[in-house]
């Protein structure tokens, strides 16, 4: 607009001078000014679409785990995989509302623990309570090129996985990290360290980058979509009604989901209470995925070995359910979820819960109505 006013002003001056009898040199000077103004305006018009295109491309950037837009390059960053204690005495969970994926897996005996995948934990001041990873969680973190945040417990299977494959690890029990990365909640120490140890997300980022020298960006060859498909949500046309979902792990631990038609998400509960972040913010999920994996005993202490090769399960979204198959093509691969016809499932934008339930020697169940 300002260029147009320059052009109009120059034209008015020229007309005025012509009427009053201006000299030829002055006339030429004003004509040159008009020409310059025209060129400046043309240049601005050509630049505007380009600027719009840049803004548009930024708007199209997505957080690859949620399909939601991000005005940054966070999709290029490695996620952080926080291992979180999920026993009843470790409640309430902290940091879960910032997770893009929440994966629940069997732990020792009849317990479960959680993995929070968070791409940008800078603003998350409290994640936990931090627990020790199991070997199959190390494998999951490897597939997503994640930086593992946990507190090692001397689990031989986990140590073998870390020694064999290598992984960027921020370990509260072992390696050097920024002071403040981990802290103890004095009010929770009644039951021990594993229920009261928390991580600060911003210190985890600085520890990984500055103190431990880890790569914080995915390699260029890495598939930054994580094998996921997001698109226009049109419901599960062939799905069965699934407004109440119960995921039961071997040993009896359950996680329940109730579909909220207004919010179009599933609210979660466990131990007879709503799942919350810090005891305040209720947790809900756009997508709920429950899958079976062959599981075997590893020792007499209740540790397990889980085969993360392939299996079946269910995908829940929009109050409906469809049967799916899943596979993971090697240690460094991510989970792939498909319909029974072999088509990738299209996820809703938002947070996803993935429950990996035992089958084989141990067996859990997936029930819905």
């Amino acid at each position: 607009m300002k260029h147009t006013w320059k052009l109009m002003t120059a034209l008015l001056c020229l007309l005025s001078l012509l009427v009053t009898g201006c000299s030829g040199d002055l006339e030429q000077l004003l004509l040159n000014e008009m020409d310059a103004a025209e060129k400046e305006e043309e240049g601005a018009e050509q630049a505007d679409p380009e600027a719009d295109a840049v803004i548009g491309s930024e708007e199209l950037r997505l957080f690859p785990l949620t399909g939601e837009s991000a005005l940054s390059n966070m999709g290029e960053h490695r996620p952080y995989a926080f291992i979180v204690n999920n026993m009843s005495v470790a409640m309430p969970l902290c940091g879960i509302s910032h997770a893009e994926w929440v994966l629940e897996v069997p732990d020792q005996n009849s317990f479960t623990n959680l993995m929070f995948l968070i791409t940008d934990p800078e603003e998350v001041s409290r994640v936990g309570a931090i627990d020790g990873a199991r070997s199959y969680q190390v494998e999951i973190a490897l597939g997503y090129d994640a930086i593992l945040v946990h507190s090692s417990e001397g689990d031989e299977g986990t140590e073998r996985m870390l020694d064999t494959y290598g992984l960027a690890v921020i370990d509260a029990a072992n390696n050097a990290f920024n002071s403040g990365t981990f802290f103890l909640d004095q009010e929770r120490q009644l039951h021990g360290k594993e229920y009261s140890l928390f991580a600060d997300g911003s210190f985890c980022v600085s520890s990984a980058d500055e103190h431990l020298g880890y790569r914080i960006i995915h390699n260029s060859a890495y598939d930054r979509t994580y094998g996921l498909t997001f698109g226009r949500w049109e419901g599960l046309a062939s799905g069965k009604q699934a407004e109440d979902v119960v995921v039961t792990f071997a040993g009896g631990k359950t996680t329940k989901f109730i579909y909220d038609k207004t919010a179009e998400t599933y609210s979660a509960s466990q131990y007879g209470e709503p799942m919350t972040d810090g005891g305040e913010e209720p947790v809900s999920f756009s997508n709920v995925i429950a899958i079976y994996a062959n599981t075997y005993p590893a020792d007499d202490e209740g540790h397990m070995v889980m085969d993360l090769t392939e299996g079946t399960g269910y995908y829940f979204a929009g109050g409906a359910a469809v049967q799916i198959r899943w596979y993971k093509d090697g240690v460094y691969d991510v989970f792939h979820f498909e319909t029974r016809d072999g088509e990738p499932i299209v996820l809703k934008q938002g947070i996803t819960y993935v429950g990996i339930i035992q089958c084989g020697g141990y067996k859990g169940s997936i029930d819905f109505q």
Side-chain angles (χ1 to χ4, degrees):
M1 178 66 73
K2 65 180 182 180
H3 305 299
T4 303
W5 279 111
K6 284 184 179 179
L7 185 60
M8 292 177 64
T9 302
L11 180 59
L12 289 171
C13 288
L14 176 61
L15 290 173
S16 176
L17 289 168
L18 287 173
V19 170
T20 58
C22 68
S23 68
D25 289 342
L26 182 57
E27 179 182 349
Q28 185 59 48
L29 179 63
L30 290 169
L31 287 171
N32 290 342
E33 186 175 344
M34 288 174 59
D35 185 58
E38 288 175 350
K39 288 181 178 179
E40 187 177 355
E41 184 167 9
E42 287 174 2
E45 289 174 352
Q46 291 174 358
D48 284 343
E50 186 177 339
D52 291 342
V54 171
I55 294 171
S57 67
E58 288 181 346
E59 289 174 346
L60 291 174
R61 289 176 179 170
L62 303 176
F63 282 108
L65 287 168
T66 64
E68 295 172 321
S69 62
L71 296 176
S72 69
N73 65 342
M74 289 310 301
E76 300 175 2
H77 285 230
R78 302 175 71 181
Y80 289 75
F82 294 88
I83 306 302
V84 176
N85 192 312
N86 198 42
M87 293 179 65
S88 59
V89 291
M91 297 299 106
L93 300 165
C94 292
I96 188 171
S97 63
H98 297 273
E100 292 141 74
W101 270 36
V102 174
L103 296 101
E104 184 172 12
V105 300
D107 197 1
Q108 286 177 272
N109 301 311
S110 60
F111 307 116
T112 67
N113 72 4
L114 303 172
M115 174 187 283
F116 298 169
L117 286 178
I118 305 177
T119 302
D120 184 13
E122 282 277 9
E123 303 300 323
V124 192
S125 61
R126 187 180 178 91
V127 184
I130 297 297
D131 203 356
R134 302 304 174 200
S135 58
Y136 33 90
Q137 290 175 309
V138 173
E139 178 174 345
I140 294 169
L142 283 167
Y144 291 91
D145 193 29
I147 297 171
L148 180 69
V149 182
H150 82 140
S151 181
S152 60
E153 300 176 348
D155 179 350
E156 292 183 4
T158 300
E159 296 303 320
R160 279 196 302 271
M161 283 291 294
L162 291 172
D163 291 342
T164 302
Y165 295 100
L167 181 66
V169 179
I170 305 175
D171 185 350
N174 282 320
N175 60 356
F177 42 78
N178 233 345
S179 176
T181 300
F182 297 98
F183 60 93
L184 291 171
D185 183 337
Q186 300 299 324
E187 295 181 1
R188 294 209 193 188
Q189 289 199 53
L190 175 64
H191 300 287
K193 180 179 178 180
E194 63 264 44
Y195 310 108
S196 57
L197 180 68
F198 291 83
D200 184 300
S202 64
F203 280 110
C204 286
V205 174
S206 63
S207 290
D209 187 15
E210 300 168 11
H211 285 257
L212 297 168
Y214 292 145
R215 170 178 51 81
I216 62 171
I217 303 293
H218 288 304
N219 288 322
S220 58
Y222 184 80
D223 180 4
R224 301 177 189 188
T225 69
Y226 301 126
L228 301 175
T229 301
F230 294 93
R232 184 181 181 86
W233 179 251
E234 297 178 351
L236 299 175
S238 60
K240 298 180 180 179
Q241 180 174 320
E243 297 187 356
D244 297 328
V245 180
V246 180
V247 176
T248 305
F249 295 83
K253 194 277 174 185
T254 61
T255 306
K256 300 180 180 181
F257 302 89
I258 303 295
Y259 185 64
D260 183 332
K261 293 181 180 179
T262 302
E264 299 184 342
T265 58
Y266 284 91
S267 58
S269 63
Q270 58 181 359
Y271 305 117
E273 298 288 341
M275 189 181 288
T276 66
D277 190 335
E280 298 179 359
E281 184 177 351
V283 178
S284 60
F285 299 93
S286 296
N287 307 290
V288 173
I289 299 173
I291 59 177
Y292 291 107
N294 287 318
T295 310
Y296 313 95
D299 54 37
D300 295 333
E301 297 180 8
H303 294 115
M304 289 169 279
V305 175
M306 182 171 284
D307 179 4
L308 296 180
T309 304
E310 61 180 351
T312 60
Y314 285 91
Y315 169 48
F316 302 94
V322 293
Q323 283 187 297
I324 61 172
R325 63 176 294 269
W326 67 270
Y327 69 91
K328 190 174 178 297
D329 191 12
V331 171
Y332 292 104
D333 195 19
V334 297
F335 287 107
H336 300 271
F337 305 107
E338 298 180 342
T339 66
R340 288 186 296 175
D341 296 329
E343 296 296 323
I345 64 172
V346 179
L347 296 172
K348 288 187 69 176
Q349 288 186 344
I351 301 173
T352 295
Y353 166 94
V354 179
I356 306 177
I357 303 115
Q358 305 97 314
C359 67
Y362 299 85
K363 188 160 181 73
S365 62
I366 306 167
D367 302 287
F368 59 92
Q369 60 182 5

